[in-house]
Amino acid sequence: MTNREREILELIKKNPFITQEEIASKLNIARASVAVHITNLMKKGYILGKGYIVNEDEYVLVIGGANVDIQGFPKSKLKFKDSNPGQLNMSLGGVGRNVAENLARLNVNVKLITAVGEDVYGQKILEHSKNIGIDMSHSLVLSGEYTSTYLSILNEKGDMEVALSCMDICEKINVDYIKAKRKIIEGSRLCVVDTNIPKEAIEVLTEFDDLILFLDTVSTAKAEKVRDIIGNFHTVKPNIYEAEVLTGICVDSVDKGKKACEVLLNKGVRNVFISLGEKGVIYGSKKGIHIIKMPKVEVVNATGAGDAFLAGLVYGYLNEFTIEETVKFAMSAAAITLSSKDTISDRLTVQNVKDKQKELGLC
Ligand SMILES: Nc1ncnc2c1ncn2[C@@H]1O[C@H](COP(=O)(O)OP(=O)(O)OP(=O)(O)O)[C@@H](O)[C@H]1O
Ligand SMILES: O=c1[nH]cc([C@@H]2O[C@H](CO)[C@@H](O)[C@H]2O)c(=O)[nH]1
């Protein structure tokens, strides 16, 4: 939605009987432009038919992968080419799905476009989404396809050592499907996309009108898909390895992280957040480039910290936080996730994130 459309929608919400002339004079614009904006608001689904019946349900749309994560926790230092005593844990994952679940836990109205098979894992993902409040009505449920899975081995510190993703089903979220969902995508307050979906489908998304696009680059292999179109995203959150794929700069120091941030801003990205794991975050916008260090926190499983962080960025944007407030909120959301064995923490709530901010001195 454009700023002008938002202004008009606010006026209509206050007075559903307001005339186009009244809107025009309040906003100091021509009546004909008001008519065009109202037509667009109707097309995007914010106004439901004539008589200005307003659709109050503003939503965030997430497009990306949904996995079942299987993770191994060794009891002591990992020995390669050997069988390590440890524990296995299974939880729901997939970057897009994780971001959507974290947003739902932060009370954001969220819809997810993903693809699952008609198998046990797919059923589990659909059931859980229903319980948590993620709208899956625009997702694909495909017979003859396997729901995707992710297998990772962590080290004794809870950081991922190596992982393998098996996500061929995401190829079905293709250009045709994205085009068919154009109305619901353009009607979103903002759209989060991950690079699990095909390159061409992401490219189509970047061509949609007035779409605020947040990007999670997922992994170095998948970040390649967006290298040439990175300037078309509003907000990007690569980690240091993904930032290198996008910029060609090896982020092995804060200065190089800032340089990579500058490269991405110069390409046209509005807000850049390069996550540095336990070292914190380098963030930049036209107001400048800064770093916030991460305080020491308990780490049980680092998987999913980046996804909680991205959900925190969305929350900050929706609530008009400053960029610094947004980073601190997002880091605190990541801290809650780090202390959970599962990819998502069931302790993630707005109040708990605010309490965590205070506890960590990130206020
Ligand atoms: N080991 C850690 N100790 C402290 N904070 C961490 C740690 N790992 C991650 N974080 C916090 O979470 C944020 C995002 O983490 P990270 O840089 O690992 O993203 P990521 O690689 O995208 O994660 P993932 O793909 O596992 O979701 C960091 O900026 C930091 O605030
Ligand atoms: O290629 C991919 N690897 C890993 C993930 C997911 O990342 C999550 C952690 O950030 C984890 O849940 C995994 O399923 C993915 O969606 N695609």
Side-chain angles (χ1 to χ4, degrees):
M1 197 191 314
T2 63
N3 285 338
R4 185 61 88 197
E5 286 167 5
R6 191 175 313 289
E7 282 173 336
I8 293 175
L9 193 61
E10 282 311 312
L11 290 174
I12 292 172
K13 276 186 194 168
K14 277 191 205 133
N15 173 13
F17 299 106
I18 194 166
T19 65
Q20 293 189 354
E21 282 77 14
E22 283 170 321
I23 295 174
S25 88
K26 275 186 193 294
L27 299 179
N28 214 7
I29 56 174
R31 195 208 56 81
S33 327
V34 175
V36 172
H37 289 306
I38 288 178
T39 307
N40 288 337
L41 282 166
M42 287 169 81
K43 272 197 214 146
K44 293 178 185 176
Y46 288 106
I47 295 175
L48 306 173
K50 288 233 159 36
Y52 303 149
I53 301 161
V54 173
N55 182 2
E56 291 283 359
D57 292 340
E58 186 172 90
Y59 57 89
V60 168
L61 182 76
V62 182
I63 307 175
N67 284 344
V68 168
D69 290 350
I70 303 161
Q71 300 179 67
F73 299 78
K75 286 199 169 144
S76 52
K77 205 171 159 46
L78 264 184
K79 263 200 203 161
F80 286 86
K81 298 189 191 288
D82 203 355
S83 173
N84 292 261
Q87 285 177 334
L88 287 174
N89 187 48
M90 231 166 138
S91 61
L92 300 188
V95 167
R97 200 211 64 84
N98 293 344
V99 174
E101 175 166 351
N102 284 315
L103 286 173
R105 290 186 180 280
L106 294 172
N107 288 329
V108 173
N109 191 9
V110 63
K111 298 181 195 295
L112 174 64
I113 293 184
T114 189
V116 295
E118 267 183 355
D119 48 16
V120 179
Y121 288 168
Q123 281 311 317
K124 230 180 147 45
I125 288 170
L126 291 172
E127 226 176 85
H128 183 72
S129 305
K130 198 169 166 197
N131 293 339
I132 209 84
I134 303 170
D135 176 359
M136 296 283 278
S137 58
H138 299 278
S139 285
L140 289 161
V141 183
L142 302 167
S143 65
E145 297 280 342
Y146 294 111
T147 299
S148 52
T149 42
Y150 170 77
L151 175 69
S152 69
I153 303 290
L154 308 183
N155 61 25
E156 75 286 358
K157 292 184 196 149
D159 271 329
M160 187 252 285
E161 207 57 53
V162 69
L164 203 142
S165 62
C166 169
M167 303 183 69
D168 292 351
I169 196 171
C170 288
E171 294 304 308
K172 304 288 178 194
I173 311 169
N174 55 22
V175 169
D176 289 345
Y177 196 69
I178 293 296
K179 284 188 175 164
K181 293 291 169 190
R182 181 172 188 147
K183 204 169 161 208
I184 199 80
I185 296 169
E186 285 187 340
S188 63
R189 175 78 175 83
L190 68 85
C191 176
V192 180
V193 64
D194 75 26
T195 54
N196 286 309
I197 72 169
K199 182 175 191 263
E200 298 74 21
I202 304 174
E203 280 165 5
V204 168
L205 271 178
T206 64
E207 288 156 14
F208 283 1
D209 295 331
D210 303 321
L211 188 61
I212 298 172
L213 262 182
F214 279 45
L215 173 75
D216 191 305
T217 34
V218 177
S219 65
T220 56
K222 292 182 178 174
E224 304 264 4
K225 295 181 191 176
V226 289
R227 188 172 34 212
D228 300 335
I229 51 163
I230 198 68
N232 296 336
F233 294 93
H234 179 284
T235 293
V236 301
K237 189 227 75 69
N239 65 20
I240 53 172
Y241 307 107
E242 295 147 12
E244 180 173 351
V245 171
L246 298 177
T247 64
I249 296 170
C250 167
V251 182
D252 55 7
S253 67
V254 172
D255 279 350
K256 287 211 199 148
K258 288 186 172 174
K259 188 85 211 131
C261 197
E262 196 182 323
V263 168
L264 293 170
L265 292 171
N266 287 340
K267 287 192 181 197
V269 183
R270 296 262 199 96
N271 293 330
V272 176
F273 302 87
I274 302 181
S275 62
L276 316 170
E278 63 184 349
K279 296 201 176 98
V281 181
I282 291 173
Y283 66 95
S285 67
K286 64 174 188 283
K287 291 190 178 154
I289 298 175
H290 307 276
I291 178 168
I292 299 190
K293 293 201 172 133
M294 185 72 184
K296 265 241 148 326
V297 293
E298 180 201 15
V299 181
V300 175
N301 177 2
T303 313
D307 307 335
F309 182 85
L310 182 55
L313 295 184
V314 172
Y315 187 88
Y317 182 83
L318 294 176
N319 288 281
E320 297 179 359
F321 291 179
T322 64
I323 191 161
E324 186 185 338
E325 286 165 349
T326 300
V327 175
K328 289 177 172 173
F329 184 88
M331 284 169 108
S332 307
I336 291 178
T337 306
L338 287 162
S339 64
S340 155
K341 196 163 195 187
D342 291 341
T343 305
I344 304 269
S345 168
D346 59 9
R347 291 193 50 256
L348 194 90
T349 61
V350 173
Q351 193 52 51
N352 284 347
V353 177
K354 288 185 174 162
D355 290 348
K356 185 56 87 179
Q357 270 187 268
K358 279 198 198 121
E359 184 192 317
L360 297 176
L362 288 171
C363 298

